[in-house]
Amino acid sequence: MASGHINDTYLIKTKEKPYFVLQRINHGVFKNVPGLITNKVSVSLHIRKKMAHLSEKELKGRVLSFLLTTNDDSFYHKDSDGNYWNMMIYIDNSVTFEMVNNEEVAYEGGKLFGDFLNQTSDFDVSKLVEVIPKFHDMSFRYSQFKAALQSTPKERLYKAKLYIDCVTDLKEEMHILQNLKESGEIKLRTTHNDTKISNALFTKNNKGLCVIDTDTVMPGIIHYDFGDAIRTICNTAAEDEINLDLVEFNATYYMAYTKGFLEHMKSSITPLELKHLPLAAKTMIFIMALRFLTDYLNGDVYYKTKYPEHNLDRAKNQFKLLQSLSQQLSKIQN
């Protein structure tokens, strides 16, 4: 059976374990698939070296293990249909979560993603391909927003006015991290760039096992990974919940995730990076709100929608989450 929003992923069951995961990479979305696969294979091999003290069996449960083709390549490409395929060893006896419902999972998730960043902190980022150019680039997202305003029907502009004003008011603050990155004050690292909780594997006893879905591994700053994880973990409602009274920022989960994250990052995080972790949460919530709003203004051309106001409702949801976070910011910073 295939699964996945962008790529197609198949579980291959054989007579004897291990089972395998076969993946078809969407070459319509990702323009440099060989580079993408090289990224994630190289990073996995780097992490494996850091865990050399573990047995081979333990390694296969703690880090993604990719198989080679008969030609010793990390992917198979068929020219006639353009598809690229890669295969991994399936990590048995593992579970995933779509949403966090207790502090232990938030804490263990923080440990997993913090450990991923720590283990790759000495990986040479110049060897990584930028698989989605300008993915978290705030100036780029603002330029898309500005262009959308020029062609949006008046009705949509009217319905979105409150949130358009909010985007304008937050522009300076939302560029702080990008400016620190571009000045070199915050260094480039190997980052995952899709740190939702469903991209972490756990044992059946809620202990963290392995970070998965590394298709978006590329150069970035730790605030991208920290902030996006917080965005998805700390929302008390679904991303498109229309009853905004249900949308709150769960500060308890924030504390639990941050505790786990810093346990593994304490040896490689800088004081400046640490100082801006709360801003990272705010920034990553905002950038998703901005992207949903921009797509609504553009006539819903990027995200799949189920009804005409779906993207606007998603944007409202994220802006409410941002407001809830802002109200608790002093507690979080302490």
Side-chain angles (χ1 to χ4, degrees):
M1 179 180 292
S3 66
H5 294 300
I6 297 176
N7 301 320
D8 293 325
T9 304
Y10 304 83
L11 174 61
I12 308 298
K13 291 187 175 182
T14 52
K15 290 182 179 180
E16 296 181 3
K17 292 184 178 179
Y19 296 154
F20 303 94
V21 175
L22 179 66
Q23 187 178 40
R24 177 169 56 197
I25 307 295
N26 187 329
H27 57 279
V29 172
F30 298 110
K31 305 306 180 185
N32 184 354
V33 178
L36 178 155
I37 296 173
T38 300
N39 278 0
K40 58 183 183 175
V41 171
S42 299
V43 167
S44 285
L45 291 174
H46 183 84
I47 296 174
R48 282 177 68 90
K49 290 179 182 178
K50 296 293 184 72
M51 297 183 175
H53 59 285
L54 300 179
S55 69
E56 186 63 24
K57 182 179 179 181
E58 289 175 309
L59 275 172
K60 289 177 180 176
R62 295 291 304 281
V63 60
L64 295 177
S65 300
F66 294 89
L67 280 70
L68 298 178
T69 68
T70 54
N71 293 326
D72 289 332
D73 294 321
S74 54
F75 61 89
Y76 173 74
H77 178 226
K78 189 175 180 182
D79 289 328
S80 60
D81 55 20
N83 286 319
Y84 290 83
W85 301 81
N86 66 228
M87 183 176 280
M88 298 157 278
I89 294 176
Y90 175 70
I91 298 177
D92 206 6
N93 297 315
S94 62
V95 297
T96 59
F97 298 95
E98 289 300 319
M99 291 185 68
V100 172
N101 53 21
N102 64 69
E103 290 179 50
E104 184 182 21
V105 171
Y107 168 70
E108 289 288 328
K111 285 172 62 178
L112 268 183
F113 286 116
D115 194 36
F116 178 87
L117 286 167
N118 188 55
Q119 296 276 31
T120 60
S121 62
D122 59 346
F123 187 89
D124 185 356
V125 294
S126 69
K127 295 181 178 178
L128 293 174
V129 171
E130 193 176 9
V131 294
I132 308 177
K134 300 182 179 180
F135 189 45
H136 294 314
D137 187 294
M138 192 64 75
S139 295
F140 174 64
R141 297 302 180 187
Y142 262 93
S143 67
Q144 290 182 313
F145 167 73
K146 187 176 179 180
L149 290 177
Q150 304 305 313
S151 58
T152 305
K154 289 183 178 180
E155 182 184 0
R156 290 203 171 202
L157 283 174
Y158 176 76
K159 289 181 178 179
K161 184 180 186 308
L162 176 65
Y163 305 99
I164 292 170
D165 292 343
C166 184
V167 169
T168 303
D169 292 342
L170 287 170
K171 184 175 182 180
E172 185 174 342
E173 183 184 8
M174 291 298 100
H175 276 83
I176 290 174
L177 288 175
Q178 180 171 320
N179 292 339
L180 288 169
K181 171 191 165 188
E182 291 178 352
S183 69
E185 294 175 78
I186 292 179
K187 70 175 184 178
L188 280 180
R189 294 173 176 263
T190 300
T191 47
H192 185 283
N193 296 292
D194 190 14
T195 49
K196 58 192 176 192
I197 198 65
S198 59
N199 282 336
L201 295 184
F202 295 81
T203 69
K204 293 176 182 177
N205 296 320
N206 293 345
K207 300 301 180 184
L209 269 179
C210 178
V211 171
I212 61 172
D213 198 4
T214 52
D215 294 339
T216 52
V217 163
M218 53 185 165
I221 56 177
I222 67 167
H223 304 85
Y224 296 161
D225 281 4
F226 180 84
D228 201 35
I230 292 299
R231 183 186 73 83
T232 54
I233 287 169
C234 296
N235 193 340
T236 57
E239 198 173 61
D240 55 359
E241 173 60 59
I242 61 174
N243 182 355
L244 298 184
D245 290 337
L246 300 178
V247 179
E248 296 291 339
F249 184 85
N250 190 319
T252 301
Y253 288 175
Y254 177 93
M255 305 297 185
Y257 182 91
T258 304
K259 179 182 177 183
F261 183 82
L262 291 178
E263 280 183 18
H264 283 285
M265 282 297 294
K266 59 186 177 184
S267 64
S268 60
I269 194 170
T270 68
L272 188 61
E273 288 174 326
L274 181 62
K275 174 186 175 182
H276 286 91
L277 288 184
L279 178 61
K282 191 173 181 179
T283 301
M284 295 309 292
I285 294 170
F286 174 83
I287 205 167
M288 279 310 304
L290 178 60
R291 291 176 65 189
F292 286 139
L293 179 61
T294 299
D295 200 34
Y296 172 74
L297 297 174
N298 275 329
D300 310 310
V301 295
Y302 186 81
Y303 295 106
K304 292 179 181 178
T305 56
K306 296 179 181 178
Y307 55 91
E309 305 296 309
H310 199 173
N311 270 323
L312 182 60
D313 285 340
R314 287 164 168 158
K316 289 178 179 180
N317 180 298
Q318 294 296 289
F319 278 115
K320 173 62 189 305
L321 184 64
L322 186 67
Q323 179 188 46
S324 179
L325 165 59
S326 298
Q327 291 168 346
Q328 302 177 74
L329 203 56
S330 59
K331 181 170 91 170
I332 287 168
Q333 286 171 330
N334 289 336

